[in-house]
């Protein structure tokens, strides 16, 4: 009989402790986030001005690359948060063909951006430690550049948008792990040649990143 009572008490304790954990609130807390992962970007076609001797259309293809970032944020409620974030992305390229047929076998397409992101955090899944979230952000492009053997083409001062979908996993009251998908879009940019007169015109920058990170809340 005493074993039945012991197990009953243990079961009641566990059932009570799970909801108590699930109700912990992040409202009013600040956080620091570090993250990084893999960055994907599709092939690009673009117009050229004073870049190649003939024609106007160029093409570039890109390998799988990397991204890294950091953010500081604040939870306004248990569900809503905002942050200021810095993101860096880079993809190498082994094929860049200008309109005159010249091909450059090495280069990279990279960006440095700052975002103001807003997030909505859903309730934990079945009172587990997993918590999905969605985010949207407005970004300032400090620089996007296409570096080739023929020179570097860059732009800055543009605006970008970002969409995020992911899930966090609570390690403790202060620490979370997170994994998400990030889509950035900056359209129709003109990249001017550094120390030159050429321009790559109307090129888009729309990478998709898979990232993992850690969050410290305080």
């Amino acid at each position: 009989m005493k074993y039945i009572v012991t197990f009953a008490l243990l079961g009641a304790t566990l059932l009570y402790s799970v909801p108590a954990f699930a109700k912990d609130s992040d409202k009013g807390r600040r956080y620091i986030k570090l993250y990084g992962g893999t960055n994907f970007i599709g092939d690009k076609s673009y117009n050229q001005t004073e870049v190649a001797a003939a024609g106007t259309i160029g093409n570039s293809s890109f390998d799988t690359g990397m991204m890294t970032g950091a953010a500081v944020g604040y939870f306004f409620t248990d569900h809503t948060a905002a942050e200021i974030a810095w993101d860096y992305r880079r993809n190498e390229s082994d094929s860049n063909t200008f309109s005159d047929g010249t091909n450059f076998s090495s280069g990279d397409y990279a960006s440095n951006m700052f975002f103001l992101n807003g997030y909505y955090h859903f309730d934990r899944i079945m009172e587990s430690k997993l918590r999905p979230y969605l985010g949207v952000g407005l970004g300032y492009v400090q620089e996007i550049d296409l570096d080739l053997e023929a020179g570097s083409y860059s732009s800055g001062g543009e605006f970008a948008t970002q969409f995020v979908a992911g899930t966090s996993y609570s390690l403790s009251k202060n620490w979370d792990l997170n994994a998400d998908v990030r889509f950035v879009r900056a359209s129709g940019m003109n990249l001017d040649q550094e120390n030159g007169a050429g321009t790559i015109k109307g090129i888009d920058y729309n990478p998709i990143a898979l990232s993992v990170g850690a969050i410290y809340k305080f």
Side-chain angles (χ1 to χ4, degrees), residues 103-118:
N103 184 272
F104 303 97
S105 59
S106 65
D108 67 75
Y109 199 21
S111 68
N112 197 56
M113 299 185 186
F114 296 91
F115 285 95
L116 177 61
N117 298 319

Side-chain angles (χ1 to χ4, degrees), residues 85-106:
W86 161 77
D87 286 6
Y88 175 78
R89 292 170 169 82
R90 183 175 182 271
N91 292 76
E92 293 187 355
S93 174
D94 57 10
S95 178
N96 301 273
T97 304
F98 282 176
S99 56
D100 61 358
T102 304
N103 184 272
F104 303 97
S105 59
S106 65

Side-chain angles (χ1 to χ4, degrees), residues 35-105:
Y35 51 91
T38 304
N39 197 58
F40 305 91
I41 192 165
D43 297 348
K44 301 297 177 187
S45 295
Y46 41 81
N47 293 320
Q48 300 170 328
T49 300
E50 298 184 34
V51 172
T56 60
I57 304 299
N59 297 277
S60 295
S61 60
F62 304 96
D63 300 330
T64 300
M66 56 76 68
M67 71 87 62
T68 188
V72 293
Y74 179 79
F75 281 91
F76 295 97
T77 71
D78 190 41
H79 294 283
T80 59
E83 67 182 24
I84 297 174
W86 161 77
D87 286 6
Y88 175 78
R89 292 170 169 82
R90 183 175 182 271
N91 292 76
E92 293 187 355
S93 174
D94 57 10
S95 178
N96 301 273
T97 304
F98 282 176
S99 56
D100 61 358
T102 304
N103 184 272
F104 303 97
S105 59

Side-chain angles (χ1 to χ4, degrees), residues 101-201:
T102 304
N103 184 272
F104 303 97
S105 59
S106 65
D108 67 75
Y109 199 21
S111 68
N112 197 56
M113 299 185 186
F114 296 91
F115 285 95
L116 177 61
N117 298 319
Y119 289 94
Y120 184 83
H121 297 259
F122 296 90
D123 291 333
R124 293 178 175 87
I125 299 174
M126 298 180 65
E127 297 184 343
S128 71
K129 296 183 180 183
L130 294 173
R131 195 175 189 196
Y133 58 85
L134 295 175
V136 62
L138 178 64
Y140 173 77
V141 179
Q142 188 272 327
E143 184 178 39
I144 291 179
D145 62 11
L146 179 61
D147 290 328
L148 304 172
E149 298 166 36
S152 180
Y153 299 82
S154 64
S155 177
E158 310 280 349
F159 288 97
T161 53
Q162 177 170 235
F163 301 93
V164 185
T167 301
S168 63
Y169 179 86
S170 181
L171 294 176
S172 68
K173 184 178 180 179
N174 296 103
W175 285 97
D176 285 357
L177 299 179
N178 69 283
D180 54 42
V181 179
R182 296 167 176 261
F183 173 72
V184 170
R185 183 172 181 82
S187 301
M189 294 178 300
N190 296 330
L191 309 182
D192 296 322
Q193 186 177 16
E194 298 179 8
N195 302 316
T199 301
I200 291 175
K201 302 179 66 177

